[in-house]
Amino acid sequence: MRSIFCATTVFAAVFSQAPAARADAIRVGYAGSMGVVMDRVLGPAFEKAHGVQFQGIGMGAYALARLLAAKQQQADVFVSITPGPVKIVQEAGLLGEGVPVASTQMVITYSPKSRFAPQFEAAAAGRTPWWQVLKSPGLRFGRTDPAIDPQGQNIIFAMQLAERYYNQPDLVSTILGSYQNPTQIFTEPSLLTRLEGAQIDAASGYQSATISHHLPYVPLPDEINLSNPDKVADWYGKVEFTIKLPSGKETTFHTQPLVFYAGVLRNAKNPELGKKFIDFLLSPEGQKLFRDSGYAEPKGGKI
């Protein structure tokens, strides 16, 4: 099994080292939060079942989608969180259907080595408001870049919803600062590494990735965690924000359900193997491996 974790800023170096496609290998590009379940669980299980090599490419889903759409990266299968990155590749004519394969929800994860860990434990038990802990002086919070990663957008949506839900109009500015506050933004692999090493105290997270990394977390109510499709139209949809992308173009983002979608790329080197991989993700064995890694069942229909 081989895997490639990378961020946009270091893509050129990684790409130059990318392994060539082989008839007996499958290349899967996936949302960076899925690193553990893809490279340690699903990939090895697929290798064992089919006698092929699994080559994983983990990256912020929007960044990876743009690279795939520009044909600067190649894969057999693309697995994204939220519909947005899937649509980028579809609009480039390189992807047909996106099939829901799993789902998750937003949480606040924290370092067990942090000096604020007792306060977060109290928040997880419902004894103190989680947002009050995040406002503690000196607390170091981390998140991903909203310009290239859906999780970076989803923590902004979660804070905007928390402002409304708790009637606390200053939560976004107090806890996050600006939408693209450079002191809080890290690549996803770096974010988890810093959290595990207590270089930061808390971070945004998906419940699935947090459980996969065996990190403690504070669950959020349905009104904030973006997991309930029934709340998209009349509650989640009330928030949005606008930022400038790396291209210089300003874009307004809207909430999307936290569902993982998979599809076979139309320029796949091994499309039949790609279809078998998606079938495996949807099989009873694949779904059990997802559940054992902290993921919830697929929600909604194909996109």
Side-chain angles (χ1 to χ4, degrees), residues 82 103-107 150-151 153-159 161 206 220-232 235-237 239 254-259 299:
T82 73
S103 64
T104 190
Q105 60 182 266
M106 289 298 293
V107 299
Q151 186 185 143
Q153 298 162 15
N154 290 325
I155 186 60
I156 295 173
F157 292 137
M159 291 296 175
L161 291 169
Y206 294 131
L220 303 174
D222 266 13
E223 286 79 2
I224 297 170
N225 67 25
L226 301 171
S227 71
N228 189 340
D230 292 339
K231 294 187 179 299
V232 172
W235 178 249
Y236 297 159
V239 297
H254 305 274
T255 55
Q256 300 181 49
L258 296 188
V259 176
K299 295 178 180 177

Side-chain angles (χ1 to χ4, degrees), residues 230-295:
D230 292 339
K231 294 187 179 299
V232 172
D234 63 354
W235 178 249
Y236 297 159
K238 293 181 180 297
V239 297
E240 64 180 32
F241 68 91
T242 300
I243 59 172
K244 186 174 290 185
L245 300 181
S247 64
K249 179 183 177 182
E250 283 197 345
T251 298
T252 298
F253 291 97
H254 305 274
T255 55
Q256 300 181 49
L258 296 188
V259 176
F260 295 91
Y261 297 91
V264 178
L265 277 298
R266 287 181 173 149
N267 61 344
K269 302 296 184 185
N270 297 305
E272 289 303 318
L273 204 53
K275 184 177 183 305
K276 288 180 180 178
F277 183 74
I278 294 177
D279 289 343
F280 172 71
L281 298 183
L282 294 170
S283 70
E285 179 186 359
Q287 288 296 298
K288 181 179 185 303
L289 293 175
F290 267 128
R291 287 195 301 274
D292 291 347
S293 299
Y295 289 72

Side-chain angles (χ1 to χ4, degrees), residues 2-7 10 14 30-40 56-60 188-190 192 213:
R2 298 189 62 170
S3 65
I4 306 167
F5 274 105
C6 52
V10 297
V14 173
Y30 57 80
S33 66
M34 305 183 79
V36 172
V37 73
M38 281 293 178
D39 288 336
R40 301 182 189 175
I57 308 165
M59 193 184 303
E188 190 147 16
S190 172
L192 292 171
H213 281 267

Side-chain angles (χ1 to χ4, degrees), residues 2-190:
R2 298 189 62 170
S3 65
I4 306 167
F5 274 105
C6 52
T8 303
T9 53
V10 297
F11 166 70
V14 173
F15 183 62
S16 66
Q17 300 167 5
R22 294 167 31 182
D24 57 350
I26 180 169
R27 286 171 60 81
V28 177
Y30 57 80
S33 66
M34 305 183 79
V36 172
V37 73
M38 281 293 178
D39 288 336
R40 301 182 189 175
V41 180
L42 294 168
F46 188 77
E47 283 184 335
K48 183 177 180 180
H50 293 273
V52 299
Q53 184 187 60
F54 176 87
Q55 299 173 351
I57 308 165
M59 193 184 303
Y62 275 103
L64 180 55
R66 293 182 185 115
L67 292 172
L68 291 170
K71 299 184 180 179
Q72 293 177 324
Q73 182 61 280
Q74 192 279 325
D76 298 304
V77 175
F78 179 42
V79 187
S80 166
I81 184 166
T82 73
V86 173
K87 290 181 179 177
I88 290 174
V89 187
Q90 288 175 327
E91 288 172 0
L94 293 175
L95 193 69
E97 291 181 331
V99 180
V101 296
S103 64
T104 190
Q105 60 182 266
M106 289 298 293
V107 299
I108 301 298
T109 185
Y110 62 94
S111 171
K113 301 175 184 176
S114 166
R115 63 188 174 100
F116 298 98
Q119 291 96 313
F120 281 116
E121 290 172 4
R127 298 194 299 271
T128 191
W130 60 270
W131 51 269
Q132 284 189 355
V133 181
L134 289 180
K135 292 173 73 173
S136 300
L139 187 141
R140 300 160 298 176
F141 188 73
R143 53 193 172 103
T144 56
D145 187 348
I148 62 172
D149 184 30
Q151 186 185 143
Q153 298 162 15
N154 290 325
I155 186 60
I156 295 173
F157 292 137
M159 291 296 175
Q160 290 178 319
L161 291 169
E163 281 187 343
R164 290 169 171 261
Y165 186 63
Y166 298 115
N167 193 26
Q168 296 289 326
D170 66 340
L171 281 187
V172 172
S173 59
T174 303
I175 295 174
L176 302 184
S178 67
Y179 293 148
Q180 293 175 288
N181 180 357
T183 66
Q184 293 187 345
I185 292 176
F186 306 96
T187 64
E188 190 147 16
S190 172

